[in-house]
Amino acid sequence: MAAVSIVSAVEPDSSPGPGPMQCYRIGLLGDLNCSWEPLGDSRTPSTLHFQSQKYISPYSHLNRTQVVAVPTGQSWVTIPREQFTEFDTLLVWGAEADGPLWPPISVDLETRVKLDAPRLCPDINFSEDDPLETTVHWAPPTLRPHQKDMVCQFYYRRCQEEAWTLLEPELKSIPLTPVEIQDLELATGYEMSGRCRMQVEEDLWGEWSPILSFQTPPSAPKDMWVSGNLCGTTAEQEALLLWKAPGPCVQMSYRVQFRVEGRELLQEGIPCCNSSIPAQAEWAGVSAVNARNQEIFTNLSLACSGSAPHDVAVSSTSDSKELLVTWQQGAGELWEHVVDWARDGDPPENLSWVWLPPGNLSVLLPGNFEKGVPYQIRVTTVSPWGLSPAPSVWGFIEELAPLMGPELWRLQDAPSGIPTIAWGEVPRHQLRGHLTHYTLCVKSETRSLVCLNVSGGTQNVTLPNLHWGTCELWMTASTIAGQGPPGPSIQLHLPDNTLKWKVLPGVLLLCGVPLMGLVLATSGRCVHLWHKVLPHWVWEKVPDPAKSNSVQPHIEEELQAQPLVDVPILEVQEIEPLPGMEPSQPPAALDSGYEKHFLPTPEELGLLATPRPQVLA
């Protein structure tokens, strides 16, 4: 009786909304769960009281107040299903030793239920016509006889996206109708989930159903492109036909068709999303296996035709998040353009591209561009007759200073002996920007450090002013962001260039003495100097003019040519030869050119007298 008087003394709170305590059943056949927020005065209930309001009888135990102990420090408690009657309505409150802590609340065990999740059927049907639609069948949580109506809502989203889209309107369990999803895209993965509540309990939603994943029918790719320069003079790399992936959570295979010199080549079951382009291919098309319409191909002309864009320029936006590409239209009609780009070093299949309608001469490239990383960008004119690409350019979202310097080596010296130095290019990913210039530095043992800037288009340089001795050389590269560290250094060992001037007098002296002797030897006026100046092996072989018979013919000729003059008369006494002696033979005349060259004239020997003038009596 005391418990009844306590309950009747407090008016029950029929509001199930937010308050000091909330109670609901866990499922249609589950326990009763009650929870509360801590009170402002830090008091917490030590017991939870509940009493039946529907089955009241003075002769029944159901009208008794039942008590459940609350563990210390706990803000929730569960009342087992065995302690209350189905379809009953309970009064529930929390209390301390001195009485209730808050007004009791009324709990309808038939409607105050947190429902289980609905069940979604995995068999999904799609419409045959556009726009693409589907219907999903479902079943509500466990139904009981005379079950009150439920309301369910369903959400869907693209696979791996975060935001869910609510499907309107909410559906009731009676009558049961399937879920309809409209405006779906082909070759796309989707996810779906739902939850339910009792119609009268607007704030108490049940559990979410497990996510149901499904894929719409496959279709041909939206667009395609080529990786590699089909119109170049040399094959830089294998040309690939690329197409956009259908999206996450989609598994598809494709049919690829090429036209090569008038013949059709068909490849079946090609995985996403590239295929090698045969040589001399003129046209390509791609369709999806098991597509709704097998005859639909996404096609592209692979011929090289048309006027290429020019003046392609790349710059970064002010916030350094996007690359702006601009160009000028080629000659002729306006056609579509394709701008493709790839990070330096990425494989060909990682190429990104965007199609632009005729008349568009600029584009902001989307993507997560990194500072200091080079991106190769190409603009191509696309016409019905083929492709016409402009030369590719390199762009940076933000340039940085280089990470290394060039490597030096010594080339063969110039004929004059001046050393020549060459160097290699810094790898593009280490350069991290557009090269502005090089800086070559020289440090020797006897002179201070000297550096000079070299044009970025130069790959070698001669160094005529290097000082003799050992010197060390290194080089740095620079971009607009600054100068990088020096590259590997080399050492040069240069001989003393002044040594030849020290040796030259001695060389001239050694060469001059024989030359002077040769001059003296060819001159007959310096005979008395031969033995003083010339080596003995020269003057000893010079013939004696007084003993040479090569002059006798000259003497006779001179004697015959003299006019008659008065001369002293000399008496000549014949001397008979001694017995046994034979007259001596005159020596043979020497007609050697060598002797004639060195022998003096008769006048020089004094053998001929100077003619006197004749005096007439």
Side-chain angles (χ1 to χ4, degrees):
M1 296 294 296
V4 175
S5 62
I6 293 176
V7 174
S8 60
V10 180
E11 183 179 355
D13 183 3
S14 60
S15 173
M21 184 170 63
Q22 297 285 330
C23 294
Y24 57 85
R25 290 188 69 178
I26 304 174
L28 291 170
L29 303 175
D31 299 335
L32 181 65
N33 181 74
C34 295
S35 61
W36 56 89
E37 297 179 359
L39 301 177
D41 53 4
S42 300
R43 294 186 301 166
T44 58
S46 57
T47 57
L48 189 69
H49 300 252
F50 64 95
Q51 186 181 56
S52 173
Q53 294 294 294
K54 194 170 185 180
Y55 302 102
I56 299 177
S57 172
Y59 305 103
S60 173
H61 70 283
L62 295 177
N63 59 350
R64 295 180 307 171
T65 299
Q66 300 187 63
V67 180
V68 177
V70 179
T72 303
Q74 187 171 293
S75 60
W76 59 270
V77 71
T78 298
I79 302 174
R81 166 66 185 80
E82 296 79 11
Q83 295 188 16
F84 54 83
T85 303
E86 201 66 44
F87 304 109
D88 196 357
T89 299
L90 301 180
L91 284 180
V92 184
W93 69 94
E96 284 186 322
D98 55 353
L101 293 177
W102 55 75
I105 61 174
S106 177
V107 180
D108 187 341
L109 299 178
E110 186 178 7
T111 61
R112 192 63 181 171
V113 179
K114 186 172 184 179
L115 295 172
D116 296 330
R119 299 184 300 275
L120 302 178
C121 180
D123 297 330
I124 299 177
N125 300 318
F126 295 97
S127 63
E128 295 294 335
D129 302 325
D130 294 332
L132 183 63
E133 299 178 357
T134 186
T135 55
V136 180
H137 295 276
W138 62 285
T142 304
L143 289 174
R144 299 181 301 176
H146 311 292
Q147 175 70 51
K148 292 187 177 181
D149 198 6
M150 303 177 189
V151 175
C152 299
Q153 60 180 199
F154 297 92
Y155 292 79
Y156 81 104
R157 65 181 178 184
R158 291 177 183 268
C159 183
Q160 295 186 359
E161 287 187 355
E162 295 184 1
W164 290 88
T165 301
L166 174 64
L167 292 170
E168 297 287 354
E170 295 178 346
L171 301 179
K172 294 183 179 181
S173 59
I174 303 174
L176 193 60
T177 57
V179 181
E180 293 184 0
I181 307 178
Q182 300 177 350
D183 297 327
L184 297 176
E185 295 185 10
L186 291 170
T188 306
Y190 290 93
E191 296 177 339
M192 178 181 176
S193 184
R195 62 180 181 175
C196 298
R197 62 174 174 84
M198 300 304 295
Q199 186 172 6
V200 297
E201 301 290 345
E202 296 183 357
D203 65 326
L204 187 58
W205 285 99
E207 299 293 338
W208 285 100
S209 68
I211 291 178
L212 173 65
S213 299
F214 62 93
Q215 174 182 321
T216 55
S219 68
K222 295 181 179 179
D223 62 71
M224 52 197 297
W225 191 234
V226 291
S227 175
N229 190 3
L230 291 176
C231 302
T233 55
T234 59
E236 302 175 357
Q237 58 189 8
E238 180 186 16
L240 292 179
L241 181 67
L242 306 177
W243 58 91
K244 295 290 182 68
C249 312
V250 175
Q251 298 295 329
M252 293 176 55
S253 59
Y254 295 86
R255 182 183 296 106
V256 182
Q257 186 173 354
F258 295 99
R259 182 182 301 128
V260 181
E261 297 180 346
R263 296 180 298 108
E264 301 292 336
L265 300 180
L266 183 61
Q267 303 174 3
E268 295 275 358
I270 303 298
C272 187
C273 289
N274 62 80
S275 178
S276 298
I277 300 178
Q280 307 300 323
E282 306 164 355
W283 175 91
V286 179
S287 65
V289 176
N290 299 325
R292 293 195 300 174
N293 189 344
Q294 297 288 340
E295 302 301 325
I296 297 180
F297 275 83
T298 301
N299 60 79
L300 178 67
S301 174
L302 303 180
C304 296
S305 176
S307 178
H310 57 90
D311 296 336
V312 179
V314 181
S315 60
S316 62
T317 56
S318 57
D319 56 359
S320 298
K321 291 184 179 180
E322 294 177 306
L323 286 175
L324 174 63
V325 184
T326 60
W327 63 93
Q328 295 299 320
Q329 171 77 37
E333 299 182 36
L334 295 178
W335 299 112
E336 291 181 302
H337 290 94
V338 173
V339 181
D340 62 61
W341 68 97
R343 178 184 174 130
D344 183 34
D346 277 2
E349 55 269 22
N350 285 4
L351 183 74
S352 300
W353 70 91
V354 58
W355 284 73
L356 299 171
N360 280 30
L361 301 180
S362 66
V363 65
L364 282 173
L365 301 184
N368 185 21
F369 299 103
E370 299 182 23
K371 297 179 180 180
V373 175
Y375 293 88
Q376 188 174 25
I377 301 169
R378 183 179 55 181
V379 182
T380 304
T381 299
V382 182
S383 68
W385 302 278
L387 313 175
S388 183
S392 60
V393 297
W394 292 94
F396 296 83
I397 196 69
E398 182 178 338
E399 297 192 33
L400 301 177
L403 294 177
M404 61 178 294
E407 181 180 359
L408 302 176
W409 61 85
R410 185 175 184 178
L411 298 178
Q412 183 177 2
D413 291 350
S416 59
I418 299 175
T420 302
I421 303 300
W423 56 89
E425 294 183 354
V426 178
R428 193 175 288 106
H429 66 281
Q430 300 282 354
L431 189 60
R432 305 201 300 174
H434 293 101
L435 178 67
T436 57
H437 64 277
Y438 297 107
T439 301
L440 179 64
C441 295
V442 181
K443 182 180 180 181
S444 64
E445 297 176 346
T446 58
R447 295 192 176 184
S448 59
L449 177 66
V450 177
C451 295
L452 68 152
N453 291 335
V454 183
S455 169
T458 305
Q459 292 299 119
N460 61 78
V461 65
T462 57
L463 304 173
N465 298 322
L466 288 183
H467 194 257
W468 64 270
T470 301
C471 60
E472 183 180 9
L473 292 85
W474 65 87
M475 178 172 278
T476 64
S478 297
T479 66
I480 60 173
Q483 187 179 37
S489 62
I490 61 172
Q491 286 190 343
L492 300 182
H493 302 279
L494 304 178
D496 187 356
N497 295 332
T498 62
L499 182 61
K500 60 183 179 181
W501 300 108
K502 299 177 181 178
V503 176
L504 184 60
V507 174
L508 294 177
L509 181 62
L510 292 176
C511 296
V513 171
L515 183 62
M516 184 183 299
L518 182 61
V519 172
L520 294 176
T522 58
S523 174
R525 308 177 192 277
C526 304
V527 177
H528 62 283
L529 297 177
W530 291 352
H531 68 282
K532 296 181 180 180
V533 178
L534 299 179
H536 67 88
W537 52 270
V538 174
W539 62 264
E540 284 182 351
K541 295 184 180 181
V542 176
D544 187 356
K547 297 180 179 181
S548 176
N549 295 326
S550 63
V551 299
Q552 291 180 3
H554 298 282
I555 298 175
E556 293 177 358
E557 294 176 359
E558 292 294 334
L559 291 175
Q560 293 176 1
Q562 295 296 327
L564 296 176
V565 294
D566 292 337
V567 295
I569 300 175
L570 299 177
E571 294 181 1
V572 180
Q573 182 180 2
E574 293 187 27
I575 301 176
E576 296 182 359
L578 295 176
M581 295 183 61
E582 296 180 359
S584 59
Q585 299 295 329
L590 298 177
D591 295 329
S592 168
Y594 174 78
E595 287 193 358
K596 288 182 178 181
H597 176 75
F598 286 102
L599 292 180
T601 63
E603 289 85 354
E604 292 175 334
L605 294 176
L607 296 178
L608 298 177
T610 304
R612 299 177 183 177
Q614 184 176 4
V615 180
L616 298 177

